[in-house]
Amino acid sequence: MLTSKLFTLVLVVQPQRVLLGMKKRGFGAGRWNGFGGKVEPGETIEQAARRELQEESGLTVDVLQKVGRITFEFVGDTELMEVHIFRADSFRGEPMESEEMHPQWFELDHVPFKDMWPDDSYWFPLFLQKKAFVGYFKFRGQDTILEYTLKEVEEV
C-alpha cells in the first residue's frame, strides 16, 4: 500500500530569468532545482512553501501563485511524493546561499535541464506560460522516467 507525503517547490521568476538552487545535500543533491521541501505538521502547504523558500534562499514573497501538483513514485519506495509547485514573480531580499542550496539566476533560454530532475523539462514550459497543470511521474532510481502523465488544468 502506497502512502503519500506533501512537499512544496517554489520557483522565483523575473522577466527572462529564473532563480534555481544547486542542491548541496540530501535527496536530489547535485541538481539544480526550485526551493522547497516537506510540509511540517501544523503548516498549510503555502506556509511550508514560504518557509522553505526563506530558509533555502533568504527570500520572502508576498504572493505565491500555485501552478502545479505532481505526484512522484519511485520504484521500491512505498511513499509517494505529492509536490505542490508555486511561482513567485516578485520577492524581497537578495538570494543567499544556505546549508542546503546555492542559488543562481538563469536566463530562460539557458535553463540547465541536463543538471535538473528529468521531469522538469516536461512541465517547465507550462510553468513559464503560467498554465496550471497536474502530473504523475514514475521513476526507476533518480534518472529514469518509466511512465508519466501531464495535463493542463483550469485550476490546481
Side-chain angles (χ1 to χ4, degrees), residues 65-70 85 87 123 125-135 150-156:
Q65 177 188 1
K66 189 168 182 182
V67 293
R69 184 182 71 245
I70 299 177
I85 302 167
R87 176 184 175 121
W123 58 263
L126 292 172
F127 168 83
L128 290 175
Q129 296 170 54
K130 297 184 180 181
K131 293 182 177 176
F133 57 90
V134 294
L150 183 64
K151 63 181 178 180
E152 190 177 329
V153 295
E154 288 297 316
E155 189 176 317
V156 182

Side-chain angles (χ1 to χ4, degrees), residues 13-18 106-111 113 124 128:
V13 182
Q14 288 192 324
Q16 302 306 309
R17 66 183 192 162
V18 62
F106 288 92
E107 299 298 316
L108 293 181
D109 56 355
H110 289 96
V111 174
F113 288 114
F124 221 79
L128 290 175

Side-chain angles (χ1 to χ4, degrees), residues 2 27-28 31 33 70-81 83 113 116-123 135-149:
L2 295 176
F27 188 71
R31 294 183 193 241
N33 203 359
I70 299 177
T71 300
F72 293 96
E73 179 180 350
F74 292 86
V75 173
D77 195 337
T78 59
E79 193 167 73
L80 299 173
M81 296 175 69
V83 180
F113 288 114
M116 295 169 69
W117 282 95
D119 61 279
D120 290 353
S121 62
Y122 291 82
W123 58 263
Y136 163 82
F137 287 84
K138 183 175 185 176
F139 275 81
R140 181 187 316 113
Q142 294 187 10
D143 298 316
T144 305
I145 296 172
L146 297 177
E147 60 183 273
Y148 78 96
T149 59

Side-chain angles (χ1 to χ4, degrees), residues 20-32:
L20 299 174
M22 172 55 73
K23 187 83 160 64
K24 293 164 50 176
R25 65 178 190 197
F27 188 71
R31 294 183 193 241
W32 292 103

Side-chain angles (χ1 to χ4, degrees), residues 91-104:
F91 60 90
R92 287 189 308 279
E94 286 298 318
M96 294 180 354
E97 187 165 349
S98 65
E99 290 182 11
E100 196 163 342
M101 300 286 260
H102 171 75
Q104 183 176 320

Side-chain angles (χ1 to χ4, degrees), residues 16 62-63 118:
Q16 302 306 309
D62 289 326
V63 178

